[in-house]
Amino acid sequence: MNEASLNPRRDDLLRPRRLSFRDLLGTAWIGVGGRPQRTALAALGVALGIAALVALTSASASSQQQILNDLDALGANLVIVGPGNDATGDAVFLPQFAPEAIARQPGVRSVGVLDYFPLVSGVYRSDLVPITETSGIHVTTARPDAFEAIGATLARGRWFDDVTRALPVTVLSAIAAARLGAQVGDNVYIDGQWYGVLGILSDSGVASGRLDGAAILGDAWVRDNFAGQHSGIGEIQEIYVRAEPGMVDTVREGLARVANPATPHFVALSGASNLADARALTDDTLATLGLALGGISLLVGGVGIANTMVVTVLERRGEIGLRRALGARPGQIAAQFVGEAIGISLIGGLAGLILGVIAAIVIALITGQPIVIPFAAIVVGPLLSVIVGAIAGLQPAIKATRLSPTTALRAI
Amino acid sequence: MPDNTAPVIEVREVTKTYPGPPPLTVLQPTSLKIMPGDQVAILGPSGSGKSTLLSILGILDDPTSGNVFVDGIDVTSLAEKQRSAIRAAWIGFVFQQFHLIPTQSAVQNVSNGLLYSGVTYRERNRRAKEALTAVGLGHRLTHRPGQMSGGEQQRVAIARALVREPAVLFADEPTGALDSATGEAIVGLLAGVADRGTAVVVVTHNEEIASRFRRIIRLHDGVATEAYRGTDNKSDATAVIEAAA
């Protein structure tokens, strides 16, 4: 020890020294890593808040998704495109490229086509049944893509694919199958031809008006075998267009021009616009609910952090006094405690995220709802925990800086 | 270079009154100079105002009136930022309750003494080990306070105060939490510090401990009087005590 180092130059004596960021982190870490048990307990409060945030927003998002799915199944995202009538009342058929053109539009999720079957024909269990005993069963034609677009479900067997659409097979609606007493694999007799039963529908979705009580034939088979018997054979009867969630209005707007560019005003559009409105309303309401639930749980977590930090400052008054005596500036003390609050919050936030995701998955599995975890919740949860932690730590930190070093030192 | 004849700390006519009701004056107007290498004991019963005087000398606390000078600079009117800088560069503290951070090792605790002085991590560590070795704890570097005896903990605290090579070291009842034999060793250690040029100011209520220091300032009901011991010219020449009636 020599005189020079003992006595700094006078101007040097008053020069504030910087505390490096690394050293600041070090001081903050004393409170976080030094006492793992206290940190765990404090972080638990935050973790529960963030877990509640993630779980509740996910659960409400799952419910929202479930309701929207249900509404979509009812036809909230559906537009039906069909041929219009010209001035003389004749049908103006849609061009064959229409389904493909529609499918290419933005916002379109799926497209399915039912074709005309204008011939009047009965469906019989065998060729011995008198031709007048039709059992009220009619014949219609569908393309393979119709199944998804109308939201049909199968009781047994299969729907048409690219091979079976051209074969002498039929898919029966539930009513037709019951009236005929037919099973998958049986043969039924239509217009002088035996058809194998490929599948039986349990529900014909939004096309129930067309398909209930029908025996459905593959479009390619009809085109190949009935062409020329009637002018409507092979023409498009209805195109079922399913929009992406929330896109139905956009899709509907340009649909006529896309479906029939030559005569767009002879295109008939229909769909359940009331359902679409209800869907939009439901979407908004449930999104607001999710935000409200998230906000409340965040508030709870934030109060937890604030509580912990107030206690921390109280119980560490001695350390605060010591650091002031060692030459720490009030701002450096504040930074230490804010840093500590952020550290605890970050640990709690990440733990809460994991807990919340697990809870959301469990809830969805139990209620049978789709598992939806909003990306925003994953990002915003831990981020908000840090912000809330900083805010919650700020008041006690400022309180710590106002503490006179003498008072703080006397506290222990 | 600083003027070596300037006091390291000087207080002029400082008083301390805590606002009431009723207001309580714990320190009557007091003037005092601490010179480089001084050995000073502030002696008095509890409640006599000695801790208050120490806080003002160590610029931890503001006097109600009067001025404090550090190396000739009037620090009474300085911003907290600069007062903190002075504490970091100029003053060391040792407390009765050690005030070690329980979750840190001896080396980390001692290196905290340099944390706010702008010294790099590596350099802090090196000097902390040196300081611990100097107080006889070279074998306890990685121990935590809970693993050490009271006397060892106080040595760590002294090393923490000395690692920054302060101009003045304040010790507030440094033996208050120790048994007499251990306390004796600590007092010896502190008295030895002054021989290396650092002024040492010890606050105590123990006459025996005070008698180990060259200057003794007695406080009673906020009134300070210096006991002249006559054998030490330096303190006789520089000590100025004014006690208000």
Side-chain angles (χ1 to χ4, degrees), chain A residues 36-204:
Chain A
Q37 203 175 0
R38 186 199 68 106
T39 300
L41 280 174
L44 184 66
V46 185
L48 290 179
I50 298 301
L53 169 77
V54 174
L56 287 176
T57 49
S58 298
S60 76
S62 292
S63 300
Q64 185 178 8
Q65 190 62 52
Q66 177 72 54
I67 294 174
L68 295 181
N69 285 352
D70 291 348
L71 286 174
D72 283 348
L74 289 173
N77 67 340
L78 177 72
V79 183
I80 302 170
V81 185
N85 296 317
D86 65 12
T88 62
D90 291 340
V92 180
F93 291 119
L94 296 170
Q96 286 299 332
F97 63 76
E100 237 178 279
I102 292 170
R104 277 198 300 270
Q105 294 306 301
V108 172
R109 194 170 71 192
S110 62
V111 172
V113 181
L114 297 185
D115 280 352
Y116 271 109
F117 191 83
L119 304 174
V120 178
S121 176
V123 180
Y124 309 97
R125 191 66 180 84
S126 84
D127 54 351
L128 301 176
V129 177
I131 200 160
T132 52
E133 293 182 13
T134 60
S135 309
I137 299 169
H138 63 279
V139 180
T140 187
T141 313
R143 300 189 184 178
D145 54 15
F147 185 75
E148 192 199 331
I150 63 178
T153 50
L154 279 165
R156 274 182 296 280
R158 283 175 294 139
W159 179 256
F160 297 104
D161 59 25
D162 280 346
V163 175
T164 52
R165 72 196 290 192
L167 298 179
V169 290
T170 180
V171 173
L172 299 177
S173 69
I175 296 172
R179 288 182 188 160
L180 290 170
Q183 301 293 325
V184 172
D186 289 348
N187 288 328
V188 294
Y189 192 72
I190 304 171
D191 197 33
Q193 166 78 39
W194 288 98
Y195 289 83
V197 176
L198 178 66
I200 295 171
L201 296 177
S202 56
D203 182 7
S204 37

Side-chain angles (χ1 to χ4, degrees), chain A residues 90-385:
Chain A
D90 291 340
V92 180
F93 291 119
L94 296 170
Q96 286 299 332
F97 63 76
E100 237 178 279
I102 292 170
R104 277 198 300 270
Q105 294 306 301
V108 172
R109 194 170 71 192
S110 62
V111 172
V113 181
L114 297 185
D115 280 352
Y116 271 109
F117 191 83
L119 304 174
V120 178
S121 176
V123 180
Y124 309 97
R125 191 66 180 84
S126 84
D127 54 351
L128 301 176
V129 177
I131 200 160
T132 52
E133 293 182 13
T134 60
S135 309
I137 299 169
H138 63 279
V139 180
T140 187
T141 313
R143 300 189 184 178
D145 54 15
F147 185 75
E148 192 199 331
I150 63 178
T153 50
L154 279 165
R156 274 182 296 280
R158 283 175 294 139
W159 179 256
F160 297 104
D161 59 25
D162 280 346
V163 175
T164 52
R165 72 196 290 192
L167 298 179
V169 290
T170 180
V171 173
L172 299 177
S173 69
I175 296 172
R179 288 182 188 160
L180 290 170
Q183 301 293 325
V184 172
D186 289 348
N187 288 328
V188 294
Y189 192 72
I190 304 171
D191 197 33
Q193 166 78 39
W194 288 98
Y195 289 83
V197 176
L198 178 66
I200 295 171
L201 296 177
S202 56
D203 182 7
S204 37
V206 290
S208 56
R210 297 264 177 224
L211 299 187
D212 281 355
I216 307 155
L217 303 184
D219 62 315
W221 170 265
V222 170
R223 211 173 293 127
D224 294 347
N225 294 279
F226 294 86
Q229 295 187 21
H230 192 282
S231 62
I233 290 288
E235 295 291 355
I236 293 167
Q237 184 175 33
E238 277 174 339
I239 305 175
Y240 289 82
V241 182
R242 292 284 190 171
E244 295 290 352
M247 295 288 286
V248 67
D249 287 337
T250 318
V251 167
R252 178 189 268 267
E253 225 160 77
L255 212 49
R257 189 162 294 279
V258 174
N260 193 350
T263 53
H265 41 285
F266 292 139
V267 173
L269 295 181
S270 61
S273 61
N274 286 345
L275 272 178
D277 291 347
R279 183 193 197 281
L281 189 65
T282 310
D283 200 356
D284 288 352
T285 309
L286 290 181
T288 311
L289 174 70
L291 279 180
L293 289 175
I296 291 168
S297 38
L298 203 64
L299 187 70
V300 173
V303 170
I305 305 174
N307 192 24
T308 305
M309 291 315 295
V310 168
V311 173
T312 297
V313 166
L314 281 179
E315 71 182 12
R316 301 250 298 281
R317 287 167 73 169
E319 183 188 326
I320 293 167
L322 167 74
R323 289 183 185 278
R324 300 279 281 119
L326 291 177
R329 295 198 293 275
Q332 292 168 335
I333 299 282
Q336 173 183 344
F337 281 92
V338 169
E340 183 178 327
I342 290 176
I344 291 173
S345 308
L346 190 62
I347 292 171
L350 292 175
L353 177 64
I354 295 168
L355 278 178
V357 167
I358 293 171
I361 292 172
V362 169
I363 291 170
L365 289 178
I366 290 174
T367 57
Q369 290 176 345
I371 296 170
V372 181
I373 294 158
F375 181 69
I378 292 175
V379 177
V380 169
L383 195 69
L384 274 181
S385 75

Side-chain angles (χ1 to χ4, degrees), chain B residues 211-232:
Chain B
S211 69
R212 299 279 304 271
F213 292 81
R214 291 194 200 105
R215 292 171 63 191
I216 298 178
I217 291 157
R218 291 181 187 277
L219 265 177
H220 201 271
D221 290 339
V223 179
T225 47
E226 175 143 15
Y228 290 89
R229 307 182 69 186
T231 53
D232 190 325

Side-chain angles (χ1 to χ4, degrees), chain A residues 1-20 22-23 26-27 30 34-35 318-319 321-330 332-333 336 404-406 408-410 412, chain B residues 1-2 4 8 18 55 60-61 70-73 78 80-82 84-91 93 95 97 99 101 103-104 112-113 115-119 121 124 160 162 164-167 196-198:
Chain A
M1 229 185 274
N2 58 44
E3 284 298 299
S5 69
L6 250 177
N7 299 311
R9 292 174 59 86
R10 190 162 292 189
D11 54 344
D12 204 39
L13 187 60
L14 299 178
R15 183 173 59 80
R17 307 303 204 281
R18 264 190 74 242
L19 184 64
S20 73
R22 186 190 145 159
D23 287 337
T27 61
I30 290 172
R35 282 178 298 171
E319 183 188 326
L322 167 74
R323 289 183 185 278
R324 300 279 281 119
L326 291 177
R329 295 198 293 275
Q332 292 168 335
I333 299 282
Q336 173 183 344
S404 126
T406 316
L409 285 167
R410 220 177 278 142
I412 288 184
Chain B
M1 286 297 290
N4 273 338
V8 287
Y18 290 104
S55 296
L60 288 172
D61 213 350
V70 172
D71 198 27
I73 307 167
L78 287 181
E80 185 51 49
K81 203 172 180 175
Q82 290 169 315
S84 296
I86 291 173
R87 281 200 293 272
W90 195 255
I91 302 171
F93 290 97
F95 307 97
Q97 297 298 338
H99 282 301
I101 294 175
T103 55
Q104 292 192 321
N112 281 342
L115 188 58
Y116 302 99
S117 309
V119 179
Y121 176 79
R124 286 204 303 269
R160 179 179 63 197
L162 292 179
R164 55 217 281 178
E165 302 180 358
R196 294 188 291 175
T198 297

